[in-house]
Amino acid sequence: MNIVYHSSDGFADITGVSIVSLLENNKQTEDISLFYISKDLTNENKLIIKNLVNEYGATIEFIDMPNWSEKFNVQLSTTLKRWLGYGYNRLFITELLPENIKRVIYLDSDTVIEGSLKEIWEMDLDGYYEAAVDDCLSKKYRKMVHLSNEGTYCNSGMLVLNLEKFRQDNVIQVFLDFINLHKGFFVYNEQTILNSVFENKIKILPLKYNVYTLVYALEYEQLMKLRMPYNYSYSKDEYEQAKANPVLTHYTGCFLVNQRPWVEGSRHPHVSAYLKYKDMTPWANKPLRKDTRSKFDIICSSVVTCLPRGVVIAVAGMLYNNLRPFLFKARERKHLKGLK
């Protein structure tokens, strides 16, 4: 089983938690090989992670992250400053891995694996570029990410990538053409590129393989009101089953949850899973991070917590489906103007 992670040095301990959870719950799988793409990862953290992985009988290779914009002479932007450009590694992963690696499971560092990945590792991907979980977007957002009414927009926090098909179809050139066509600006960065280029060639996985924070924070009907997803892939029963029995939890940011689980005082509904695996890492005694939010953000979080959930969903839905797309379009215009 080939697993790929990426992170900055500041996220090394959080990545370590994900790695431990992966190895703890996939002990029946032989020959697990990890590839860690990083920028400025210290030798100290490399050694800690290498020793940790080796204790489980797995192997790990560290790969320095290239500057993809320079390498391919393309403009790669990010919609929001806090969305780092590490995710673009997914597009060019065949540049970093040897040709004999035909498939990988690509994981975000802010994940905890609570079950076996054997089934998705061994699944049939014939004709598909990747397998992933539906991220539930409305019609308005689908237009913004260059997706027709037929395709499904998937979250890239957990992907099974068919590298053999990547190479056969020279998808890097397809990505580069797509990036140049849109002048390097994409809402949700590489996630948009993957979904647009691979439209109708993505195998949809059960939600349990990427249970993101919104799923934990909201009931099914509430998510439908907030996101207004078009042609959502999962029923209410599938949604509840994924929340109750996740194979992979993805600790995405969420306005309804004050901080993710590596921050003091986090009230993430599934914080216990992160803390469980943190205690199994060399960083077990490392204190959780301080809450560095501004006073304004803390006040807003408190207000959201105090208001009736129905009111919060109604207001947030209006902002998410109307104001946020407007702001994204404004950033796109600013980006394009700056290129002239």
Side-chain angles (χ1 to χ4, degrees):
M1 184 186 294
N2 302 314
I3 307 291
V4 178
Y5 283 99
H6 67 247
S7 87
S8 63
D9 189 66
F11 233 60
D13 56 329
I14 295 167
T15 310
V17 175
S18 183
I19 290 173
V20 165
S21 69
L22 165 76
L23 298 175
E24 277 288 326
N25 289 294
N26 287 271
K27 291 178 179 178
Q28 76 285 1
T29 301
E30 297 180 358
D31 299 324
I32 297 180
S33 299
L34 280 72
F35 300 90
Y36 194 137
I37 306 169
S38 65
K39 189 174 182 180
D40 302 323
L41 190 65
T42 65
N43 288 332
E44 179 184 3
N45 277 331
K46 286 181 180 179
L47 182 59
I48 292 172
I49 293 170
K50 183 177 185 296
N51 289 339
L52 176 65
V53 170
N54 290 345
E55 286 179 9
Y56 285 90
T59 63
I60 187 165
E61 179 180 338
F62 296 97
I63 301 171
D64 291 331
M65 176 181 162
N67 184 318
W68 296 116
S69 293
E70 290 182 1
K71 183 176 178 63
F72 291 113
N73 191 29
V74 292
Q75 175 73 32
L76 290 171
S77 67
T78 181
T79 314
L80 295 176
K81 288 183 178 180
R82 68 175 181 270
W83 294 348
L84 301 177
Y86 289 89
Y88 285 113
N89 294 316
R90 295 181 178 93
L91 305 181
F92 310 119
I93 187 65
T94 52
E95 287 283 300
L96 301 178
L97 300 182
E99 288 196 14
N100 66 312
I101 296 180
K102 301 183 184 302
R103 176 183 299 199
V104 299
I105 297 177
Y106 203 122
L107 301 176
D108 270 358
S109 296
D110 57 349
T111 57
V112 160
I113 296 83
E114 301 177 70
S116 172
L117 300 182
K118 185 175 186 290
E119 184 174 347
I120 60 172
W121 173 248
E122 296 179 349
M123 69 167 58
D124 182 10
L125 278 181
D126 187 37
Y128 295 100
Y129 290 103
E130 68 178 43
V133 167
D134 189 339
D135 201 19
C136 69
L137 284 191
S138 67
K139 283 189 174 182
K140 182 175 291 188
Y141 275 87
R142 291 166 67 87
K143 184 177 180 181
M144 290 171 57
V145 298
H146 316 291
L147 198 67
S148 76
N149 288 337
E150 301 304 318
T152 300
Y153 190 86
C154 293
N155 187 281
S156 63
M158 194 290 300
L159 301 173
V160 186
L161 299 179
N162 185 351
L163 302 191
E164 186 172 27
K165 188 167 177 59
F166 271 43
R167 296 184 181 100
Q168 287 173 352
D169 296 347
N170 191 20
V171 295
I172 287 182
Q173 188 57 53
V174 179
F175 289 146
L176 293 174
D177 292 342
F178 191 76
I179 290 166
N180 288 322
L181 176 65
H182 295 283
K183 311 297 183 184
F185 183 91
F186 300 97
V187 175
Y188 307 131
N189 299 354
E190 86 294 335
Q191 187 167 272
T192 287
I193 300 171
L194 287 165
N195 281 285
S196 299
V197 171
F198 293 163
E199 185 170 354
N200 296 319
K201 294 293 184 179
I202 300 175
K203 190 166 190 172
I204 307 304
L205 296 175
L207 180 58
K208 66 181 181 179
Y209 287 107
N210 191 347
V211 187
Y212 36 87
T213 300
L214 267 181
V215 176
Y216 286 108
L218 296 175
E219 298 300 323
Y220 186 81
E221 293 80 7
Q222 293 172 334
L223 181 69
M224 297 302 103
K225 289 180 181 179
L226 174 66
R227 284 289 187 90
M228 292 190 273
Y230 174 82
N231 200 24
Y232 192 44
S233 299
Y234 312 113
S235 67
K236 180 178 179 179
D237 182 62
E238 290 171 313
Y239 186 87
E240 297 300 332
Q241 286 295 321
K243 187 188 303 190
N245 300 288
V247 173
L248 184 147
T249 291
H250 188 186
Y251 293 101
T252 51
C254 175
F255 72 98
L256 291 166
V257 176
N258 78 317
Q259 297 297 354
R260 295 194 275 178
W262 45 87
V263 178
E264 286 182 349
S266 172
R267 292 199 293 269
H268 191 287
H270 207 56
V271 65
S272 60
Y274 178 85
L275 297 178
K276 170 186 174 181
Y277 292 106
K278 177 180 181 292
D279 284 343
M280 299 181 187
T281 73
W283 296 277
N285 296 321
K286 181 180 179 179
L288 295 173
R289 303 181 186 206
K290 298 294 184 182
D291 188 342
T292 58
R293 291 176 300 168
S294 66
K295 289 183 179 179
F296 176 77
D297 287 340
I298 292 173
I299 291 171
C300 288
S301 178
S302 298
V303 171
V304 167
T305 302
C306 294
L307 288 173
R309 183 52 58 93
V311 173
V312 172
I313 297 301
V315 173
M318 180 183 66
L319 296 175
Y320 177 83
N321 292 292
N322 295 287
L323 178 60
R324 202 166 186 240
F326 173 80
L327 294 176
F328 280 151
K329 293 299 293 183
R331 291 191 182 101
E332 181 180 19
R333 288 193 294 270
K334 183 179 179 180
H335 171 80
L336 295 177
K337 185 178 179 180
L339 296 178
K340 295 180 179 179

